[in-house]
Amino acid sequence: MIDFKKIRRGFSHIRAKKLPDDMFINLLRSLVTGEGMLHVGNPYLIDYALKNMPNNGCVVEIGSYGGLSTSLILHLLKKNNRTEKLFNCDPWIYGGVKDTYTESCMIDGSDTITCSSFAEYMKNNFMRSMKFLNAENLPHSFHLTSDAFFEKYEQKIKIKDLFERDIQLGDPISFAYIDGDHSYEYAKRDFENVNKHLVKSGFVLFDDSIDGSHFGSALFMKEMKKNKNYKFVSKNPNYLFQKIV
Ligand SMILES: C[S@@+](CC[C@H](N)C(=O)[O-])C[C@H]1O[C@@H](n2cnc3c(N)ncnc32)[C@H](O)[C@@H]1O
């Protein structure tokens, strides 16, 4: 049977605008775990947002996995001479083909690897890749769901990040990359939480928001397109919006 989804995905990769060749970005996919986690069009959109974001805020990433997009954002911040801090969160929840995961569940196709050991493994991968690739410029990372992260963000508390540094949460946000739980409810709530802190002219990029995708994050784009406080900037093929009020 012809897999039209696969064909559509293939075309979206070919058609996406790409950044001019950057050897570090080319190498990055083979240096971290999760090379398939980043759509080839996202670096272009992330670069656009980082270049054009207002300079009175920070960058927030929801969903870090093995650190591919985190390292990309840190690299592009530096390349664009931006000194904004990067905050990110991930509970390292195993997300496979099943719907629900418990602490004691097994990852898909295995009867020996538990979802909780996966979480530990992926968190370690993330931390190792950060220390290896970004030792001079570590992000402020938190082992938290986005809900728990924003709860603390609201309270503007002082907290230790994963790298044992004290940091105050609650800065205004200039750019947010939403790539955590891709259900409709979570994508919407992540956006609402970001929106509370996003400064005027700040950007928000939704991963897995490609037209026709089965993800709830893609479904949420219908609402984003009607949101009068946001301007549609581009889809490449994931959606980038800018706050206008
Ligand atoms: C698609 S991966 C992120 C990929 C990453 N941005 C990259 O480029 O490598 C999604 C991540 O979201 C995390 N996640 C799942 N539920 C979450 C939640 N409620 N809040 C924050 N992150 C969540 C998962 O643990 C997983 O690591």
Side-chain angles (χ1 to χ4, degrees):
M1 211 171 78
I2 301 171
D3 187 342
F4 287 106
K5 259 192 199 151
K6 225 178 189 167
I7 294 172
R8 240 193 344 249
R9 210 167 40 232
F11 277 130
S12 85
H13 274 69
I14 295 165
R15 286 201 199 118
K17 283 188 219 139
K18 320 245 172 17
L19 280 178
D21 225 24
D22 176 315
M23 285 169 78
F24 184 77
I25 296 177
N26 294 345
L27 198 58
L28 209 43
R29 287 184 192 271
S30 59
L31 291 176
V32 297
T33 311
E35 83 71 45
M37 289 290 171
L38 188 74
H39 192 283
V40 292
N42 284 7
Y44 181 89
L45 295 175
I46 291 173
D47 186 63
Y48 179 91
L50 296 178
K51 268 196 178 87
N52 295 290
M53 67 183 184
N55 57 13
N56 52 345
C58 65
V59 177
V60 166
E61 176 194 53
I62 299 168
S64 320
Y65 199 65
L68 179 55
S69 52
T70 315
S71 289
L72 174 75
I73 293 170
L74 289 170
H75 173 69
L76 290 174
L77 274 167
K78 195 170 167 197
K79 198 170 171 181
N80 288 304
N81 297 316
R82 303 294 306 231
T83 54
E84 283 81 354
K85 292 191 190 94
L86 171 59
F87 293 84
N88 54 0
C89 64
D90 199 310
W92 286 286
I93 293 169
Y94 176 72
V97 296
K98 290 179 241 159
D99 279 343
T100 48
Y101 292 88
T102 58
E103 280 278 296
S104 58
C105 74
M106 301 292 163
I107 66 168
D108 297 300
S110 171
D111 54 10
T112 55
I113 307 168
T114 60
C115 295
S116 57
S117 63
F118 165 89
E120 197 56 32
Y121 168 74
M122 198 50 72
K123 179 180 174 181
N124 286 336
N125 281 338
F126 171 79
M127 292 185 69
R128 282 194 75 202
S129 72
M130 286 306 118
K131 286 176 188 164
F132 176 59
L133 295 167
N134 309 294
E136 305 299 314
N137 187 24
L138 289 168
H140 293 290
S141 309
F142 299 93
H143 186 169
L144 294 170
T145 63
S146 49
D147 283 346
F149 172 75
F150 279 112
E151 206 182 304
K152 294 183 191 304
Y153 211 83
E154 284 298 304
Q155 295 162 4
K156 295 183 185 268
I157 57 167
K158 211 169 184 190
I159 186 173
K160 268 202 196 320
D161 67 19
L162 276 183
F163 304 103
E164 294 296 318
R165 294 164 307 164
D166 287 317
I167 184 76
Q168 167 111 42
L169 297 180
D171 282 357
I173 300 172
S174 288
F175 169 52
Y177 180 49
I178 299 183
D179 189 15
D181 184 318
H182 293 99
S183 65
Y184 170 84
E185 291 73 18
Y186 245 110
K188 185 178 166 80
R189 199 159 61 241
D190 284 346
F191 164 72
E192 286 166 354
N193 279 323
V194 163
N195 180 46
K196 285 184 203 157
H197 303 276
L198 195 69
V199 295
K200 186 178 174 205
S201 303
F203 293 91
V204 56
L205 172 60
F206 294 88
D207 191 56
D208 283 316
S209 57
I210 303 175
D211 290 341
S213 150
H214 67 281
F215 285 110
S217 35
L219 195 64
F220 181 59
M221 293 305 98
K222 280 192 190 148
E223 281 173 46
M224 279 307 296
K225 284 189 261 183
K226 288 187 199 147
N227 188 327
K228 299 225 170 10
N229 297 337
Y230 280 80
K231 179 177 94 174
F232 162 76
V233 178
S234 181
K235 54 177 176 174
N236 191 41
N238 286 313
Y239 277 81
L240 178 70
F241 291 91
Q242 185 174 28
K243 192 169 184 174
I244 50 175
V245 290

